[in-house]
Amino acid sequence: KNKDTALLILPNTMYSTNNVSFERNGNNIVGKLFKTNVENKKGKTLIFLGPVGFVKEQAPLSYATRFAVIGYNTLIFDASFHGSSEGTPRRYESGKEKKLDVIAAIEFIEQREDLNEDIVLVGICQGVNWIIDAALESNDKISGVALISGHYLCEEVINKYYPGDDLNARIERGDNARQRFENDPNDVVYMNIVSLEDKTCLLPARPVFDWYNVWENKAPYLNYKGNWENRLTQMSESELLRHTVDKSLCHLTSPVIMIHSTGKFGASGPEIPPKLFDTIPSNNKKYVPVPDCFQFQFYDDSLVIDNVVSHVDRFFSSSSQDNNEN
């Protein structure tokens, strides 16, 4: 008999996995809570938001389990309108709604007696924008912010993605779709997130298509990958393209670590994130350049993610030590 098969049914000794849910605006938000079982607990709970249109099984999961292994409690969830969470119209991508989801997640953590109320917000790619906004509204409830390979929605970045007439056309299409929805809530116009043929999709670059397209496979043996769909409401785009994260960052006073690639294939390029970082007024902040990484390596490259986790852990561990000494 092969006794090694018994290992497959043993519980995870590093952390426990808990299916959880909490309510916001009448909608059930579905997530996973990873409670650390290690002896050296960090005394913090981390809440994650991922890239545009994400589901929790993508980048957030890759980070949440790693942090749980080293002593953090971690919460990931499908945002309202996405994945397993409730909300209509489906696949409505809204920074305002995601910010409110994060605030609801903070309240959920605070209400649980089994969790530490020392909360850190973690944004990945476009999720950094809504994490920043949530931090500004919850400054007295959180102990810090981690911004990982951010797609910072500000005029300079947006113009790099959609120059000139393309940007104007996208905003117009989004506004028209919103008007149709406001006139008739059943009239929901959708757009592709990625496509090789449709250049009006949200992210038309070939490398982006290659990474995301595999998540569209709905074969039953891939159910563990979650319910990602290659679509967003068209009205989402004009809302996203009007966002100005630079006007929020200049008010961020929480401890913050920003991690970004020095290569040209990071979501916001190599020059803009350090300039944005310089505008942050926090007295406790750190910028970590990661040499020449492609954006998607921050989503699923184990070596890159392990490096990021180490930097974030070191930053918040030292911040806690400084606070204790003071």
Side-chain angles (χ1 to χ4, degrees):
K1 294 182 179 180
N2 184 358
K3 295 182 179 180
D4 288 343
T5 57
L7 295 175
L8 298 177
I9 61 173
L10 286 177
N12 189 325
T13 59
M14 305 300 287
Y15 57 83
S16 62
T17 304
N18 305 270
N19 294 321
V20 297
S21 63
F22 53 95
E23 187 175 298
R24 185 182 76 78
N25 197 30
N27 292 324
N28 198 43
I29 309 301
V30 177
K32 289 187 180 295
L33 173 67
F34 301 96
K35 293 181 64 178
T36 186
N37 292 331
V38 303
E39 185 174 341
N40 183 27
K41 293 179 172 58
K42 304 291 183 174
K44 289 182 173 61
T45 298
L46 277 53
I47 298 174
F48 294 83
L49 273 190
V52 62
F54 79 96
V55 291
K56 61 185 179 298
E57 290 81 5
Q58 294 176 321
L61 179 62
S62 298
Y63 285 89
T65 54
R66 284 173 167 85
F67 276 108
V69 165
I70 62 173
Y72 294 88
N73 295 316
T74 57
L75 174 66
I76 62 176
F77 59 89
D78 290 331
S80 298
F81 317 105
H82 300 277
S84 299
S85 292
E86 295 177 345
T88 56
R90 300 305 297 167
R91 298 295 275 170
Y92 174 42
E93 184 75 6
S94 167
K96 177 182 177 182
E97 298 293 339
K98 286 191 170 180
K99 175 194 70 174
L100 294 174
D101 283 347
V102 174
I103 293 173
I106 293 172
E107 294 172 353
F108 168 73
I109 296 298
E110 288 182 323
Q111 291 167 4
R112 291 186 61 119
E113 295 180 356
D114 58 332
L115 294 179
N116 308 290
E117 293 186 5
D118 199 359
I119 296 171
V120 173
L121 304 182
V122 184
I124 306 160
C125 191
Q126 200 172 109
V128 300
N129 299 276
W130 327 128
I131 285 293
I132 292 165
D133 286 348
L136 292 180
E137 291 198 22
S138 308
N139 188 55
D140 59 335
K141 297 183 177 182
I142 66 171
S143 61
V145 174
L147 307 174
I148 301 170
S149 194
H151 180 203
Y152 295 96
L153 292 175
C154 61
E155 184 177 0
E156 193 172 357
V157 170
I158 291 170
N159 286 335
K160 284 180 177 291
Y161 275 73
Y162 311 114
D165 292 341
D166 185 23
L167 175 60
N168 296 331
R170 287 174 178 274
I171 291 175
E172 183 178 0
R173 286 195 296 270
D175 287 347
N176 289 340
R178 182 174 296 278
Q179 187 61 57
R180 288 175 57 174
F181 175 74
E182 290 175 351
N183 291 337
D184 179 2
N186 294 316
D187 187 4
V188 182
V189 181
Y190 284 95
M191 64 185 300
N192 289 322
I193 298 177
V194 295
S195 175
L196 292 181
E197 295 80 25
D198 177 14
K199 297 307 177 184
T200 67
C201 71
L202 183 70
L203 302 169
R206 175 60 188 257
V208 185
F209 173 87
D210 288 341
W211 193 88
Y212 273 108
N213 190 51
V214 297
W215 291 88
E216 182 81 317
N217 191 331
K218 296 301 187 291
Y221 47 81
L222 294 177
N223 283 343
Y224 70 93
K225 285 181 170 289
N227 188 25
W228 185 84
E229 300 175 70
N230 184 23
R231 62 172 187 159
L232 292 178
T233 60
Q234 182 86 62
M235 61 183 172
S236 300
E237 188 171 38
S238 54
E239 181 178 343
L240 296 175
L241 296 180
R242 286 191 172 101
H243 191 68
T244 51
V245 70
D246 46 321
K247 294 181 180 179
S248 298
L249 272 173
C250 62
H251 298 289
L252 186 62
T253 58
S254 302
V256 57
I257 179 170
M258 180 184 288
I259 301 176
H260 208 84
S261 173
T262 62
K264 64 180 180 179
F265 295 113
S268 302
E271 297 91 6
I272 298 172
K275 292 193 295 184
L276 292 172
F277 177 79
D278 287 341
T279 70
I280 299 174
S282 172
N283 293 324
N284 184 7
K285 63 180 185 177
K286 183 175 183 179
Y287 185 85
V288 179
V290 180
D292 293 329
C293 281
F294 201 91
Q295 180 71 9
F296 306 129
Q297 290 181 266
F298 289 94
Y299 301 171
D300 60 10
D301 186 328
S302 294
L303 296 178
V304 173
I305 295 174
D306 287 345
N307 185 34
V308 170
V309 168
S310 294
H311 279 291
V312 173
D313 174 44
R314 191 178 309 154
F315 177 75
F316 286 109
S317 295
S318 63
S319 295
S320 296
Q321 183 175 356
D322 291 343
N323 290 335
N324 291 335
E325 291 176 353
N326 293 331

